[in-house]
Amino acid sequence: MKDLKDYVRTIPNFPEKGIMFRDITSVLQDPDGFKLAIDEMARLVSDLDFDVVLGAESRGFIFSAPIAYQRGKALVPVRKKGKLPCETIQVEYDLEYGKAVLEIHKDAIKPGQKVLLVDDLMATGGTIEAMIKLVEQLGGEVAGILVLMELKGLKGRERLSKYRLDAAISYEGK
C-alpha cells in the first residue's frame, strides 16, 4: 500500500525558483489517494470532541465535508469576502503578497460550541489564525486544527502553538 506522501506531486521551482510546490490535485485525482487522505485525517481526530467542522475556502471544503459527514457533525464554510448571502462577520489577514478577508455567517457558530478547523495546507498559519479569530468572535471554542499538509519550514505550528494541530503529511521545508 502506498504512503499518503506518494500521492502528492512535487513541482520544483513553482511559483518561483527555489520553491517545492506540493500539489494536492494528484491526491484528489486518485481514488485510493483521496480515500487514504480522508481516512488518515479522520483517524487523526478520532479522539477529538467537537460539534462543528469549519472548512476554509476553497480547498478546505474538499476535506472538511467528508470529515463532518463521517462524524455526523455540522459543516460551516468560511468564505472569501462577499460570497456569503446572510449577515456576516469578517477578519482581514496577511497573505505572503498582500491581504485577504474571510467571512462567516453571524449565526454559524453558537457560543460554547467546539469547532474543528480544517484546511488543505498549513504554511505560515495566517488563514487558520483568521479562522480562529472568527470562531472566537462568535463565542466558539477551537477544539483542534486539522490539515492535509503542513510545511514546517514556514513555522505555522509555532504561531498556533496554543491549539492542537494535526497534519496528515508534514514536509520539513517551505
Side-chain angles (χ1 to χ4, degrees):
M1 184 170 178
K2 289 168 86 173
D3 184 71
L4 186 51
K5 274 188 177 180
D6 296 336
Y7 291 96
V8 177
R9 176 174 37 200
T10 300
I11 303 166
N13 301 313
F14 182 83
E16 59 188 50
K17 191 169 178 58
I19 301 292
M20 298 297 282
F21 186 83
R22 309 298 181 175
D23 182 17
I24 68 159
T25 60
S26 53
V27 175
L28 303 174
Q29 290 168 344
D30 187 297
D32 293 331
F34 186 47
K35 182 176 184 339
L36 184 59
I38 297 304
D39 289 348
E40 177 59 13
M41 291 176 79
R43 185 194 66 75
L44 288 169
V45 295
S46 63
D47 67 323
L48 193 64
D49 178 33
F50 57 92
D51 306 303
V52 176
V53 177
L54 195 67
E57 185 169 350
S58 65
R59 292 178 309 235
F61 296 167
I62 296 167
F63 301 100
S64 60
I67 301 295
Y69 175 80
Q70 277 189 359
R71 293 288 295 269
K73 305 297 181 181
L75 175 65
V76 172
V78 172
R79 307 270 337 248
K80 294 171 184 164
K81 186 175 181 174
K83 302 287 186 180
L84 291 171
C86 295
E87 191 175 357
T88 63
I89 62 167
Q90 61 182 242
V91 64
E92 184 178 87
Y93 66 104
D94 292 324
L95 297 170
E96 190 174 352
Y97 302 108
K99 294 191 177 292
V101 176
L102 286 180
E103 293 184 326
I104 188 172
H105 280 145
K106 232 179 176 177
D107 62 355
I109 306 290
K110 309 291 184 271
Q113 282 188 312
K114 297 176 191 155
V115 183
L116 173 65
L117 283 59
V118 178
D119 207 352
D120 68 319
L121 174 72
M122 204 244 336
T124 65
T127 301
I128 294 169
E129 187 175 61
M131 293 169 67
I132 290 168
K133 288 178 182 176
L134 291 170
V135 168
E136 291 177 348
Q137 280 182 47
L138 293 175
E141 173 190 329
V142 175
I145 301 161
L146 177 64
V147 296
L148 176 65
M149 289 190 294
E150 173 187 7
L151 303 179
K152 289 184 174 181
L154 295 172
K155 303 189 186 300
R157 186 176 290 267
E158 292 172 19
R159 183 177 189 173
L160 305 169
S161 64
K162 70 181 213 178
Y163 301 95
R164 173 178 165 169
L165 187 142
D166 292 289
I169 305 170
S170 292
Y171 292 99
E172 293 301 322
K174 296 180 180 180

